[in-house]
Amino acid sequence: MSYHLGLDSSTQSLKGLIIDPAAGTIVGQAAVNFAKDLPQYQAAYSPSGDPLEKHADPLLWLAALDLLFTRMQAEGAPLAEVVGIAGSGQQHGSVYLNAQAGGILASLDPARTLIEQLAPALARKTSPIWMDSSTSAQCAEVTAAIGGRLQTDTGSPAIERFTGAQIRKFYQQEPAAYAATARIHLVSSFMASVISGAHVPIDYGDGAGMNLLNLKTLTWDPAICEATAPGLLDKLPPAVPTHTVIGRLAPYFSKYGFASDVAITAWTGDNPASLVGTGATRPGLAVVSLGTSDTFFAVLEPYRTDPEGCGHVFGNPTGGFMCLTCFKNGSLARERIREETAVDWTFFDVTAFEKTPAGNHGQLALPWFEAEITPPVLTPGLRANFAFASAAAETKIRAIIEAQVLSIRVHSQWIGNFETIRVTGGASRSTGILQTLANVFQAKVETIAVQDSAALGAAMLAAHVVGHHSYESLTKALAPATATLMPDPVTGPVYQELLGTYLQLEAAAKA
Ligand code: XUL
């Protein structure tokens, strides 16, 4: 048997998923939930007390790795059959290691834990993560030094949570600790280094979330690195395509029952891995993930950047590029309106749409209860073009959903048109939302049952790179469409007109 393991080190958990690519099945699965299983370590907190700051204790991720494999072994997961391992990490988070780290990684003793051995390798006790937005000053400084090229060359304008700004803040606030840092890893390349027992490279998928990788040359940009922090270039691992075998499983892990010659492929970010796990690695197909925040991602060909600066460009793990846009007021807004209208989910997901026509007679409500990322609107609040408070529940619900979907359409137009939209996440149960997506985009909508798309995508990456399985066959078996909805062509012109109304409301909100 030749199985492949995908690992996903996310904000709240570490997941492992083993696939049998020949049979197209998942043959083992386990997770460590940080809050429940390892409450003694912090997953997202502010060391300084600044609410904009969010760090994690990197020892948490090490404890989770030992615990996950202990659990998988105890549950009888077929670890001995695994021939390839890939992984993904929460994007943008960084780990700071000292000059001893390389030697420690190379000589991990199976009789001791990862934490015991690797704690002395940390040059910084905490790791800033993607939830951190405390670096506006650093973003402004790097932008002033580099100008518009920062966005057009790295794929994103300076972003607070991106690693470059975080590194700059560390260099400014703790210069001695920065100087003692020999290697800066992303969460993904840190975990991959531990698994491999050596410092390993960063892949283009996750590396693009640092504001440091020049996506035109696919190398670290020396001028941007130097403007971020002096000597930074020397502290970064090499950047490589995701389809790279970066090492072999460290002997330390044989205690969990792994074989001796397991290939490790480059780890990537959780969003790039999800592109693979949702089967969206070809142009013309986009994924809308309806979660706490809604995200939109798709292959991007050829390389270009969002004129508005809202969408980010990352490396597509299968080659070329992908884009990702995050809409902060996703399920948070939907849940709030459901509570306010005091209806059940069946009414919210289905009945409200049966009782109202597509286009809602031109009535729209932008539900930006929290400051929105896409489009950038800092003042929270609901913006409606009708008497929202006194309207019927069904009118309010359609007004919110149509505004959300029109926003996704408007802010993805720079990427191109899509013939198929795959929908995941909790709210993909809503036929009202699914049909609205189909009608607004005039595209086929597919639902997929994949739960852990990042871990699955990582396992599929390993199966492709190490086992030479095609993405087409892996997607067909492991991420098939569970339902398909077609657009109603009659609604095309209705939404074309409503798009104009939406743009007027958005312009007023931004003014
Ligand atoms: C993407 C981002 C998040 C994290 C979540 O830019 O910040 O989606 O990757 O883990």
Side-chain angles (χ1 to χ4, degrees):
M1 296 295 167
S2 294
Y3 295 162
H4 296 271
L5 168 64
L7 295 162
D8 176 39
S9 181
S10 76
T11 322
Q12 292 170 18
S13 64
L14 175 69
K15 289 178 180 149
L17 189 151
I18 303 175
I19 60 169
D20 175 354
T25 51
I26 294 171
V27 294
Q29 215 165 350
V32 169
N33 180 291
F34 299 158
K36 193 166 134 260
D37 298 322
L38 295 165
Q40 65 274 39
Y41 300 102
Q42 301 274 6
Y45 78 117
S46 170
S48 73
D50 172 1
L52 297 180
E53 189 177 71
K54 284 282 178 292
H55 288 209
D57 182 346
L59 299 181
L60 165 65
W61 304 322
L62 297 174
L65 201 53
D66 270 332
L67 181 56
L68 181 76
F69 289 152
T70 303
R71 206 168 261 180
M72 291 185 96
Q73 187 180 31
E75 287 168 4
L79 297 178
E81 263 75 59
V82 169
V83 296
I85 302 179
S88 67
Q90 52 172 309
Q91 293 199 254
H92 320 297
S94 42
V95 184
Y96 300 73
L97 299 177
N98 58 31
Q100 283 78 57
I104 296 175
L105 285 168
S107 56
L108 291 171
D109 174 4
R112 299 167 64 208
T113 65
L114 290 174
I115 281 199
E116 277 175 77
Q117 299 179 79
L118 281 159
L122 295 177
R124 187 184 192 182
K125 293 266 171 285
T126 67
S127 288
I129 60 166
W130 65 278
M131 296 162 89
D132 190 298
S133 56
S134 68
T135 59
S136 297
Q138 289 76 18
C139 287
E141 288 159 5
V142 177
T143 305
I146 302 297
R149 184 175 85 75
L150 189 70
Q151 186 202 354
T152 50
D153 287 356
T154 72
S156 302
I159 302 284
E160 280 79 358
R161 69 184 187 284
F162 277 38
T163 326
Q166 297 293 338
I167 294 171
R168 182 167 179 76
K169 185 178 164 195
F170 178 52
Y171 147 72
Q172 289 175 334
Q173 296 192 340
E174 296 177 59
Y178 175 75
T181 301
R183 194 58 55 95
I184 300 176
H185 277 294
L186 289 176
V187 176
S188 58
S189 64
F190 171 66
M191 296 297 275
S193 297
V194 174
I195 290 270
S196 311
H199 284 298
V200 298
I202 288 179
D203 88 307
Y204 299 154
D206 215 12
M210 300 175 82
N211 269 147
L212 299 173
L213 187 68
N214 188 315
L215 295 179
K216 292 175 179 162
T217 61
L218 292 171
T219 55
W220 302 121
D221 190 294
I224 296 176
C225 287
E226 200 53 29
T228 298
L232 175 55
L233 199 52
D234 295 335
K235 300 181 195 289
L236 296 175
V240 298
T242 319
H243 279 175
T244 306
V245 174
I246 50 163
R248 301 274 143 190
L249 185 66
Y252 172 89
F253 295 96
S254 50
K255 67 179 179 182
Y256 297 113
F258 283 102
S260 60
D261 192 31
V262 181
I264 312 292
T265 67
W267 284 39
T268 189
D270 52 4
N271 293 297
S274 287
L275 186 82
V276 179
T278 52
T281 51
R282 62 175 170 81
L285 199 153
V287 177
V288 172
S289 170
L290 299 166
T292 311
S293 296
D294 295 336
T295 52
F296 177 98
F297 53 87
V299 163
L300 181 72
E301 271 180 20
Y303 175 74
R304 61 200 180 282
T305 51
D306 180 1
E308 268 192 292
C310 296
H312 305 304
V313 184
F314 300 139
N316 168 357
T318 71
F321 300 95
M322 67 173 285
C323 59
L324 172 99
T325 308
C326 183
F327 302 83
K328 196 167 179 194
N329 289 278
S331 284
L332 282 179
R334 292 185 284 273
E335 275 158 26
R336 184 161 162 164
I337 289 299
R338 190 193 67 84
E339 271 165 34
E340 268 180 40
T341 51
V343 298
D344 61 18
W345 280 115
T346 308
F347 186 95
F348 190 95
D349 292 340
V350 185
T351 320
F353 294 86
E354 290 166 352
K355 293 179 84 162
T356 50
N360 213 19
H361 306 294
Q363 300 169 109
L364 277 176
L366 313 185
W368 297 330
F369 296 113
E370 293 202 18
E372 180 52 66
I373 302 175
T374 308
V377 173
L378 292 176
T379 316
L382 181 118
R383 277 91 167 171
N385 65 351
F386 64 104
F388 189 84
S390 56
E394 59 269 24
T395 304
K396 289 180 175 174
I397 292 165
R398 190 183 267 279
I400 296 286
I401 299 302
E402 288 188 339
Q404 286 188 323
V405 175
L406 283 163
S407 182
I408 297 175
R409 163 108 196 266
V410 164
H411 297 287
S412 61
Q413 247 159 1
W414 66 278
I415 306 155
N417 289 322
F418 301 94
E419 76 222 18
T420 306
I421 298 182
R422 296 197 130 199
V423 188
T424 66
S428 62
R429 60 161 198 272
S430 163
T431 46
I433 299 181
L434 295 177
Q435 194 61 56
T436 305
L437 272 164
N439 291 346
V440 167
F441 278 85
Q442 287 293 300
K444 181 169 83 177
V445 161
E446 293 177 349
T447 55
I448 46 173
V450 173
Q451 296 290 334
D452 302 319
S453 57
L456 176 63
M460 287 161 72
L461 273 163
H464 177 79
V465 178
V466 180
H468 308 293
H469 293 271
S470 76
Y471 284 119
E472 213 180 339
S473 68
L474 292 166
T475 300
K476 213 165 150 197
L478 293 156
T482 46
T484 302
L485 275 92
M486 296 310 287
D488 175 359
V490 173
T491 62
V494 175
Y495 285 117
Q496 203 50 49
E497 199 181 325
L498 201 61
L499 206 70
T501 311
Y502 169 86
L503 285 171
Q504 280 170 11
L505 265 179
E506 187 183 295
K510 286 199 281 192

